[in-house]
Amino acid sequence: MYTKNLFSTVAAVSTPRGKGGIAVVRISGADTAKILEKCFVPKGKPLTERPYRTAVYGDILSGGKIIDSGICTLYEEGRSFTGEMMAELSCHGGVFITREALEAVFAAGAEPAGPGEFTRRAFINGKMSLSEAEAVGQLIDADTKSRAEMASGAVRGNLTSAIGEIDRELLDVMTALYAAIDYPEEDVGTEGEDEILRVVSESARAIDGLRKTYKTGRAVADGVKTVICGRPNVGKSSLYNLLLGEERAIVTDVAGTTRDTLEDTADVGGVTLRLLDTAGIRDTDDKVEKIGVERAYSKLSEAELIICVIDSSSHLDGDDRELIDRLKESSAEKIVVFNKDDLDFALSGDEIGHIKSVTPHTVALSALRGDGKAALEEEIGKIFNEGGLDLSSDAVIWSAAQRASLDRAYDLLEGARRALEDGSPLDAVGVVCEEALAELRMADGRDVSDDIIDGIFSKFCVGK
Ligand code: GDP
């Protein structure tokens, strides 16, 4: 629960805990300059006589004693990250000295900042929308290129401006609708009604496009639970290592050596795969291996993407066929990898037909040599980014709540479109458009409840 008085001036260390070249203490609130006067002495002119947003070198004081020297940058209200008067005070990045610098700022009058408080203040002061604030959190957490690209695009306002555009169009429609309702004598005419219908249909189409980005957004942000499966020795571990770009799983030519499941994240084809390397699937009497095989089958049912590896240098055996039959029952996306492409191809036309009855997505590859990796990446991109979205410049959604709001907005606008086509009364259409607009705004975090806002910022850590 958020309890901080918004008028208080708060401070926290914004750089990671631990040793570093420098550490930065962020201070935000109306008393920032006053607090700095007590704990930072610039070389030369006082801080308040310097232009804002310039780096000023000076001494950091605690209880009147110099504890370190550092750089202070003071931002004026309205032109800072939080929208309030704000400062970034850097000191040397030792664990002890950083704590002392923060304590000195507290002693001078600042209060400890809560989790995500700087970003929360930025949102409250209108410096960013809630979805942009959420994206700041995503960007900080991003551990792959695609995640960082998508979050950075959202921080820069890709989603907010796409929603804003639809918002403005719908507002214009409502103005026209309510004018028609309030002044029925000034008939809007068929031309006016056609225009309203056109904008409502276009807005519905734009929302439809936006909600369809969810599959890609979620695949990038949360990752796709991926299972690599196949009978022993087809090259699962080799493929796993190839995708991760490092040696993780044990590769041997003794069947059944991968007995447990491993898990890792990889940026593949612009999508985050949460990879599970499973024990080779086959009939076995070995007790430990049996547990692994059962676990592999149970992982198959949880998977969102199954990469089924087949050794293309030999014919399908009973284990391959059983696995292929199991795949048919799964609702996950599927790719079949014809591995060992460096050896002679042995699969018959019938065998290939049998495999293709499971999925149209197949790739020939040599996990040993690394050939075909790009084709596999492309195939994964095709499945999870059908629309060919550019993560850094296109608007993308990735939260289930956003998707739900956009679904409702779409259904409402489709209802409004049908009502207009059927010649229903305009006031009924106006009400539905208004509800659609409210849902649309919710997708960008406008007009959402305090509980939702609290939930978002509680996931941030102190200093962000
Ligand atoms: P897993 O049991 O399915 O995990 O298979 P491994 O990745 O452990 O590989 C089994 C054996 O096949 C090892 O000797 C690998 O070097 C070999 N292997 C894997 N991929 C290829 C490939 O693309 N071409 C060839 N020629 N050998 C491969």
Side-chain angles (χ1 to χ4, degrees):
M1 185 60 211
Y2 187 73
T3 49
K4 204 55 70 206
N5 167 11
L6 269 186
F7 296 106
S8 63
T9 296
V10 291
V13 177
S14 283
T15 37
R17 305 288 170 267
K19 279 190 240 178
I22 59 164
V24 176
V25 176
R26 216 182 225 171
I27 310 165
S28 182
D31 290 338
T32 299
K34 256 191 255 165
I35 287 167
L36 282 168
E37 262 172 31
K38 294 185 204 156
C39 59
F40 181 75
V41 183
K43 304 278 183 207
K45 282 191 281 185
L47 211 52
T48 45
E49 288 176 26
R50 314 266 191 145
Y52 285 111
R53 284 170 284 117
T54 46
V56 177
Y57 178 61
D59 288 327
I60 301 168
L61 302 189
S62 175
K65 247 178 65 190
I66 298 174
I67 53 164
D68 195 8
S69 54
I71 303 280
C72 182
T73 313
L74 187 64
Y75 302 82
E76 71 265 52
E77 188 185 322
R79 300 195 65 185
S80 70
F81 176 74
T82 58
E84 303 171 329
M85 180 179 271
M86 208 188 95
E88 277 155 7
L89 177 63
S90 64
C91 59
H92 289 101
V95 175
F96 183 79
I97 200 69
T98 307
R99 198 179 323 134
E100 269 219 314
L102 180 65
E103 290 295 335
V105 174
F106 288 156
E111 288 179 25
E117 183 154 358
F118 297 108
T119 315
R120 182 176 190 127
R121 287 183 177 213
F123 161 65
I124 287 171
N125 293 321
K127 297 299 283 185
M128 57 178 72
S129 69
L130 196 60
S131 57
E132 285 164 351
E134 265 191 289
V136 170
Q138 278 277 342
L139 186 57
I140 292 167
D141 290 339
D143 53 0
T144 67
K145 183 170 180 272
S146 307
R147 276 182 179 163
E149 249 176 17
M150 187 171 77
S152 165
V155 170
R156 284 180 278 114
N158 289 348
L159 179 63
T160 298
S161 59
I163 289 181
E165 228 167 85
I166 309 171
D167 189 312
R168 274 190 297 282
E169 294 261 315
L170 275 181
L171 263 183
D172 285 349
V173 160
M174 273 160 46
T175 312
L177 274 173
Y178 286 127
I181 296 162
D182 292 341
Y183 306 102
E185 63 284 359
E186 288 176 28
D187 192 4
V188 280
T190 39
E191 218 173 86
E193 282 189 19
D194 283 353
E195 177 60 9
I196 290 171
L197 180 60
R198 187 189 65 78
V199 177
V200 167
S201 310
E202 259 178 28
S203 301
R205 217 177 3 251
I207 290 171
D208 193 32
L210 210 48
R211 69 183 182 147
K212 284 187 178 146
T213 65
Y214 178 65
K215 185 175 177 184
T216 306
R218 211 189 73 84
V220 174
D222 295 342
V224 179
K225 263 197 161 181
T226 306
V227 169
I228 298 178
C229 67
R231 69 169 159 80
N233 264 334
V234 287
K236 295 179 300 298
S237 300
S238 306
L239 179 65
Y240 185 90
N241 291 335
L242 177 71
L243 291 177
L244 282 178
E246 52 189 304
E247 294 290 313
R248 295 302 279 269
I250 317 150
V251 179
T252 67
D253 51 10
V254 183
T257 42
T258 310
R259 293 194 162 172
D260 207 344
T261 52
L262 302 161
E263 190 164 27
D264 253 308
T265 320
D267 196 346
V268 179
V271 169
T272 311
L273 298 190
R274 281 162 49 206
L275 283 171
L276 280 178
D277 179 28
T278 56
I281 286 175
R282 66 161 181 177
D283 270 340
T284 175
D285 292 329
D286 180 304
K287 245 178 157 181
V288 181
E289 201 192 333
K290 214 167 189 159
I291 295 170
V293 173
E294 268 156 33
R295 203 174 292 172
Y297 271 131
S298 85
K299 288 284 172 199
L300 275 190
S301 62
E302 291 168 31
E304 293 164 294
L305 170 67
I306 300 173
I307 301 178
C308 174
V309 185
I310 301 281
D311 178 350
S312 64
S313 70
S314 65
H315 287 287
L316 296 183
D317 71 6
D319 289 331
D320 287 319
R321 288 180 189 278
E322 190 188 340
L323 178 61
I324 290 166
D325 287 342
R326 290 252 192 162
L327 289 189
K328 280 189 185 159
E329 295 159 16
S330 159
S331 59
E333 303 283 358
K334 291 153 219 144
I335 294 182
V336 172
V337 167
F338 294 119
N339 192 34
K340 309 201 183 181
D341 195 37
D342 52 295
L343 303 177
D344 287 340
F345 194 82
L347 294 170
S348 68
D350 274 359
E351 287 172 321
I352 295 173
H354 186 52
I355 291 164
K356 290 212 167 169
S357 68
V358 177
T359 174
H361 302 288
T362 60
V363 176
L365 187 141
S366 167
L368 188 69
R369 297 194 179 164
D371 304 338
K373 188 183 174 199
L376 178 60
E377 291 191 335
E378 200 179 302
E379 210 58 35
I380 290 171
K382 251 190 236 166
I383 295 176
F384 291 98
N385 189 2
E386 281 160 312
L389 290 170
D390 179 334
L391 294 176
S392 59
S393 60
D394 291 329
V396 185
I397 62 159
W398 63 80
S399 94
Q402 281 173 328
R403 166 77 205 231
S405 293
L406 292 179
D407 280 347
R408 286 191 295 268
Y410 176 78
D411 290 344
L412 285 160
L413 281 185
E414 277 293 289
R417 185 182 62 76
R418 279 194 300 274
L420 281 166
E421 281 171 351
D422 296 347
S424 302
L426 290 184
D427 47 355
V429 176
V431 170
V432 177
C433 285
E434 208 165 311
E435 284 176 30
L437 187 62
E439 289 292 351
L440 180 70
R441 288 181 174 179
M442 234 193 279
D444 194 32
R446 282 202 271 165
D447 306 331
V448 296
S449 72
D450 284 351
D451 285 352
I452 291 179
I453 296 172
D454 284 341
I456 287 169
F457 288 102
S458 66
K459 289 192 209 118
F460 280 64
C461 46
V462 172
K464 305 296 184 292

